[in-house]
Amino acid sequence: MSDKRDDSRQMDQDGSGSQFVGSIDQGTTSSRFMIFDSAGAVVASHQLQFPQLHPRPGWHEQDPWAILDSVTTCVDEATKKFVKLGHATSAIKAIGLTSQRETTLVWDLVKGEPLHNAIAWPDTRTTSIVRELKERPGASALQDICGLPLSTYPSAVKLTWLLRNVDAVRLAYDEGRLAFGTVDTWLLYRLNQRGDREVFITDVTNASRTMLLNLQTLDYDDVLLDFFQLDRAKIKLPRISPSADRHAFGAMAGGPLRGVPITSGLGDQSAALVGQGGFEPGVAKNTYGTGSFLLQNIGTKPATSQHGLLTTVAYQLGRDQSPVYALEGSVASAGSAVRFLSENLGFFDKPDEIEELASSVPDNGGVVFVTAFSGLFAPYWAADIKGTIYGITHHTHRGHIARATLEATCFQTKAIVDAMARDEGRQIHELAVDGGLSASDLCMQIQADILGIPVSRPAMQETTALGAALTAGLVVGVWERVDQLKQTNERGRVVFQPRMASHKRERLCRRWERAVAMARGWVDGDDDDDDDDDDDDD
């Protein structure tokens, strides 16, 4: 980003003095910067994909510099569009940041340089480490402290791999100069970079995905640190802030928005819950991105799931506000399974073409696709499973497999919703949806049919970016009250009503669960994680 700031900091051309909020949305495969007006409408935006690195089967890495460059480019380009519309950059009162969560970065505290590529959240190289950690004394008590089960998912497990396998990381740790963080920490560290200021921080939602945070104290827990054999004196952990704060996240140090404060930071799924207006206990949303993530607001007291779900911090809207918690169920492969059909099998050129192909057949033709490219997450937590297709016959066409791919995400969502009902003792009566796959009318109708409840899709589906913007704007007074935020994305919703008979729904769900049971055990404990026969999701 250029440090030069042009003279566009005048009042808007209409003289209205309108207020706007920017939102950095850094996702698994792309970054975007969106500028919202005070009604929650998008005024300008820019999106840019960045390379995904798969050096070995099951490995998923990202270049930390590519992540940063994609963000700064999006800020530059969206701001140019904003100014071209006649707006002044001074009208942008704050910036919110939302990002992919468990993705793990390490860098040299002295030089500020990455010591390894970021290990992305779907990466499964740590499967054998997870098996080992589960046998370590105290393993069974961890989830009651941090809300997360031991799996390949949390950041602390990825950090363990880095310390064991990358000499530069181990040396930096031994010499006390190792910095550790998730994507939000890395971005804030670099976006704030200036000689007189260093910002090394995360928020409660991202910290709750590391497996190092105590959900009760909202601070790093010595029991968790000891379990992962981490010495506080040898590793710099980011300071933990509420999701909304006037000063904690710093301000843009360069570029066209230099000096604009960054006033919110949230993990992407927490931001989506805010963007969907999930401020009351019982409200649930599902975001269909690279993976699929269903969060249900459970109020201000955390509760450990007894049915395979995670407990996470949903958000904390200020230092004087109580944290709000959520139950979460995660599907490892949703949009990535669609990309697999496109990029690996050549079923179509662009992922959004899956709807046409899946609509070319009336049903799945008996095909069930267990899309376990990175194992299965909640509520199954099956690391011994790989992607498996059942029911192929001479009748099977590409359309059947495409439809079964969409259904796989919907069936896993159904399993999560059922687990939430058992944990909470109440049913979800409507599911709010967003993210890439939610744009497919066919997929959302399948989802409503399999759940047996209405599925509600907002007209503006970029709820993750919106949630970060709403939280940031609340801090600086663009919005005064939380109840104002609830109304910003209600217009133009489409509701998909279930049409499937209950006996058919139950039969299809039983067949899905049978397929999952049959796919278990494919990965043997003695299998080498680098086996060339392993499949990857890209």
Side-chain angles (χ1 to χ4, degrees):
M1 277 191 309
S2 168
D3 283 338
K4 183 179 179 181
R5 190 150 189 174
D6 62 34
D7 58 0
S8 60
R9 293 181 63 91
Q10 71 275 7
M11 184 173 287
D12 282 2
Q13 286 182 357
D14 62 6
S16 64
S18 300
Q19 298 186 100
F20 302 88
V21 180
S23 180
I24 297 169
D25 180 0
Q26 201 297 301
T28 306
T29 60
S30 69
S31 300
R32 75 189 75 198
F33 184 67
M34 306 184 79
I35 301 171
F36 294 88
D37 65 19
S38 58
V42 180
V43 178
S45 68
H46 191 79
Q47 183 173 3
L48 188 66
Q49 291 193 332
F50 61 95
Q52 304 300 302
L53 310 174
H54 300 276
R56 297 186 188 182
W59 292 29
H60 187 165
E61 298 182 357
Q62 298 164 350
D63 180 349
W65 294 117
I67 294 173
L68 176 65
D69 289 346
S70 68
V71 167
T72 56
T73 299
C74 287
V75 172
D76 287 351
E77 295 302 316
T79 304
K80 288 178 184 177
K81 297 173 186 177
F82 181 74
V83 171
K84 190 172 289 188
L85 291 171
H87 301 296
T89 57
S90 60
I92 300 176
K93 301 303 179 184
I95 293 171
L97 170 64
T98 180
S99 57
Q100 53 177 315
R101 298 177 296 174
E102 298 82 2
T103 296
T104 302
L105 297 94
V106 287
W107 61 96
D108 187 311
L109 195 58
V110 177
K111 298 179 180 179
E113 300 285 330
L115 295 169
H116 192 271
N117 281 334
I119 298 181
W121 61 267
D123 187 286
T124 59
R125 75 185 69 188
T126 56
T127 299
S128 61
I129 291 177
V130 171
R131 287 196 295 266
E132 172 199 328
L133 292 176
K134 285 182 177 179
E135 299 302 318
R136 186 174 287 179
S140 61
L142 299 183
Q143 189 167 358
D144 288 336
I145 302 172
C146 67
L148 308 181
L150 275 167
S151 72
T152 61
Y153 199 18
S155 308
V157 179
K158 304 179 196 304
L159 177 60
T160 299
W161 186 92
L162 287 164
L163 286 167
R164 291 183 181 183
N165 293 279
V166 182
D167 291 343
V169 175
R170 187 74 212 188
L171 180 61
Y173 175 80
D174 289 340
E175 294 180 353
R177 52 183 174 83
L178 181 65
F180 156 79
T182 43
V183 171
D184 60 314
T185 301
W186 167 248
L187 289 175
L188 290 166
Y189 178 78
R190 299 304 308 189
L191 293 174
N192 277 276
Q193 200 93 67
R194 205 170 68 187
D196 62 343
R197 181 176 68 211
E198 178 184 282
V199 173
F200 193 76
I201 198 161
T202 189
D203 93 298
V204 289
T205 68
N206 282 294
S208 70
R209 313 304 295 188
T210 63
M211 213 169 176
L212 300 176
L213 181 86
N214 184 312
L215 289 180
Q216 298 282 356
T217 65
L218 299 184
D219 200 357
Y220 298 111
D221 189 277
D222 287 336
V223 171
L224 300 173
L225 292 168
D226 290 346
F227 180 86
F228 288 104
Q229 299 174 347
L230 296 173
D231 184 343
R232 284 181 188 256
K234 293 184 176 182
I235 185 169
K236 182 163 184 178
L237 302 172
R239 186 164 58 87
I240 300 170
S241 168
S243 309
D245 191 277
R246 180 63 180 83
H247 303 290
F249 304 110
M252 299 291 284
L257 299 183
R258 180 167 51 88
V260 176
I262 302 169
T263 57
S264 76
L266 301 99
D268 51 6
Q269 303 313 316
S270 291
L273 185 65
V274 172
Q276 288 277 18
F279 300 110
E280 301 295 332
V283 175
K285 71 89 202 172
N286 200 25
T287 298
Y288 302 79
T290 300
S292 179
F293 303 89
L294 201 161
L295 270 68
Q296 182 184 30
N297 183 325
I298 60 171
T300 56
K301 294 188 181 300
T304 302
S305 172
Q306 303 301 315
H307 297 94
L309 303 176
L310 313 177
T311 307
T312 193
V313 181
Y315 51 81
Q316 185 183 13
L317 300 180
R319 295 189 181 279
D320 59 344
Q321 301 292 313
S322 297
V324 173
Y325 297 90
L327 283 177
E328 176 174 342
S330 308
V331 176
S333 300
S336 62
V338 176
R339 288 201 311 277
F340 171 80
L341 297 187
S342 172
E343 297 172 8
N344 292 46
L345 302 185
F347 275 27
F348 33 78
D349 292 330
K350 298 178 181 178
D352 59 6
E353 294 173 1
I354 190 173
E355 177 150 13
E356 180 179 356
L357 182 58
S359 298
S360 68
V361 294
D363 54 41
N364 61 26
V367 174
V368 178
F369 189 0
V370 181
T371 51
F373 300 106
S374 299
L376 291 180
F377 287 177
Y380 305 101
W381 297 111
D384 61 344
I385 191 170
K386 291 291 185 181
T388 314
I389 301 177
Y390 294 99
I392 291 180
T393 68
H394 287 297
H395 168 71
T396 302
H397 295 280
R398 291 183 306 155
H400 296 118
I401 296 174
R403 196 177 188 100
T405 301
L406 296 179
E407 290 177 347
T409 296
C410 298
F411 281 123
Q412 290 173 81
T413 299
K414 165 70 170 170
I416 292 167
V417 168
D418 289 348
M420 284 183 174
R422 291 193 292 272
D423 269 330
E424 285 290 283
R426 59 183 170 191
Q427 299 292 326
I428 294 173
H429 297 293
E430 181 177 273
L431 182 65
V433 298
D434 53 71
L437 268 182
S438 72
S440 166
D441 287 356
L442 175 63
C443 187
M444 293 303 96
Q445 186 58 56
I446 292 171
Q447 186 68 87
D449 288 342
I450 289 175
L451 289 176
I453 61 174
V455 167
S456 173
R457 183 181 68 195
M460 206 291 289
Q461 295 166 45
E462 303 300 340
T463 57
T464 302
L466 177 62
L470 293 175
T471 307
L474 190 65
V475 174
V476 296
V478 175
W479 295 281
E480 299 290 343
R481 305 179 311 278
V482 169
D483 62 335
Q484 288 179 283
L485 307 186
K486 295 169 65 174
Q487 306 304 317
T488 54
N489 204 18
E490 289 302 308
R491 297 183 299 275
R493 281 186 175 266
V494 176
V495 178
F496 297 85
Q497 297 290 346
R499 301 173 184 168
M500 184 180 289
S502 59
H503 69 275
K504 183 177 181 180
R505 178 186 311 118
E506 291 165 3
R507 176 171 56 82
L508 292 175
C509 289
R510 285 196 301 271
R511 185 163 62 183
W512 164 262
E513 293 296 339
R514 187 166 71 250
V516 170
M518 292 173 64
R520 286 179 180 270
W522 180 258
V523 181
D524 186 86
D526 294 329
D527 285 350
D528 190 311
D529 292 337
D530 298 337
D531 192 328
D532 289 338
D533 289 334
D534 282 352
D535 294 322
D536 187 21
D537 61 348
D538 283 300

